Amino acid sequence: MSKPIIVNRRRFAVLAGAATLAAPMVARGQARWKPEKPITIYNPFAAGGVTDVHVRLLGETVSKVLGQQVVVDIKAGAAGTLAPAMLLNAKPDGQTLAIMSINSLRYPHYQQTNWDPLKDFTYITGLSGYTMGIVVKSTSPWQTLEDMIAAGKKEPEKYNYGTSGVGGTGQLMMIEVEQATGTKYTHIPYKGGAEWMQALLSDQVHFLADAAQWAPFVDDGKCRILAMATEKRIPRYKDTPTLIERGINVVGQSPYGLVGPKNMPPEIVDSIYQAFKQASAEPKVTEYLAKFIQVPWDKNPAEYRAFAEKYYVDVKPLLIKAGLAKS
C-alpha cells in the first residue's frame, strides 16, 4: 500500500520543483508589460481628501515605473461605488482602473446594482485603510464618550453626526454604538472628509464618526477624540480609550484598494501591482499616511480577492442587523 504513496510524493516533488523554477521566468515575463498611454484611475472619494492625495502621490512613482502618466479622475457618487462601476465597459488592458472602497462589498446587499463585486472586477492590490474614531470640536461640552451617550439617551435624535456616506463604515459603526447603548443620533452623510470636517468646525454637526482626517485638527487642539474604533489603543493617542474598552464591541474596518475591469491578463495585473507596491514604500507616501494614522495595506491580487470574497459574506449579517439589508 505504501508504493503508490511514494510514487505520488515523488511526482509532487517534481511538479513543485518545476513550479519553483518557472516562477522567476513568469515574473520576468510579467514585468515587461508597459502601458501604451496614460493610465486613468477613477477615484470615488472627494477631491482634496486623504485618499485623493494618497492616490496622486502613488501615481507620481507609478508614472515613473511604468513610463506613462497616471491620471486620477474623481467619480464620487452611489455611496462611493460609482468609480469601480464605471469599469464595466472598460477594456481589460490596464489603461483604466479604479479605487474600490469597502463599501462596494456592502452596497449590493441593500441596493440593486448592475455589477457584482466578485465577478465584474479584477483585484490588483490593497492600498491602505482608515483608522476610525468619534470626534467632537474642542468647544463641545462632551468631555468623554459617556457624556455623548448620556446626551443621546436623554434626547434621542437631537444630536447629529457626520460621515462619508450612507452605508459607510462610519454609519455602520454608529448603528452598532446606538444598538449597544440605547442611544439615537441623526446621521448626516457627506461626500468626503473635507466636507464633514468643515461641517464639524462650523457647528453643523455635533460630532464625527469616521476616518482620521480629523487627526491634524486634534493635534492642533481644534478637536477632541472621545473614542477610537480600533482593536487596541493608538500609540499616537495613547490616552484615548477604544469603544471596546468602554464595553461597546465595535471596530471600524475600512480599507480600500485598486481594481480593474474583469479578465485582465495576469502579466498586466502583476506589473501594476509591483509598480504600486514600490510606490507605497516611498517615504513621501508613508509620511503622508502617518499624518492621518493610516498604514499601507499591501495585498497582492490573490490576497485582495480572498479578503473581498470573505468580507462580502461576513458583512451581510451586520447590514441586516443595521436594517440596511434584508435576510
Side-chain angles (χ1 to χ4, degrees), residues 20-60:
T20 301
L21 292 172
M25 296 176 65
V26 173
R28 285 195 294 271
Q30 290 173 344
R32 286 199 295 266
W33 179 81
K34 296 287 184 179
E36 298 178 354
K37 57 185 179 180
I39 295 174
T40 296
I41 300 179
Y42 295 132
N43 177 19
F45 299 99
V50 176
T51 307
D52 183 43
V53 177
H54 179 209
V55 176
R56 292 176 193 277
L57 287 174
L58 291 171
E60 292 176 6

Side-chain angles (χ1 to χ4, degrees), residues 228-242:
M228 297 297 300
T230 51
E231 293 183 355
K232 297 179 180 179
R233 291 197 182 197
I234 299 296
R236 180 163 158 185
Y237 303 117
K238 56 183 175 54
D239 295 328
T240 302
T242 65

Side-chain angles (χ1 to χ4, degrees), residues 130-150:
Y130 302 116
T131 298
M132 313 293 288
I134 296 176
V135 175
V136 296
K137 195 174 173 181
S138 58
T139 55
S140 170
W142 301 337
Q143 298 296 317
T144 65
L145 180 67
E146 286 71 20
D147 292 338
M148 188 192 87
I149 291 173

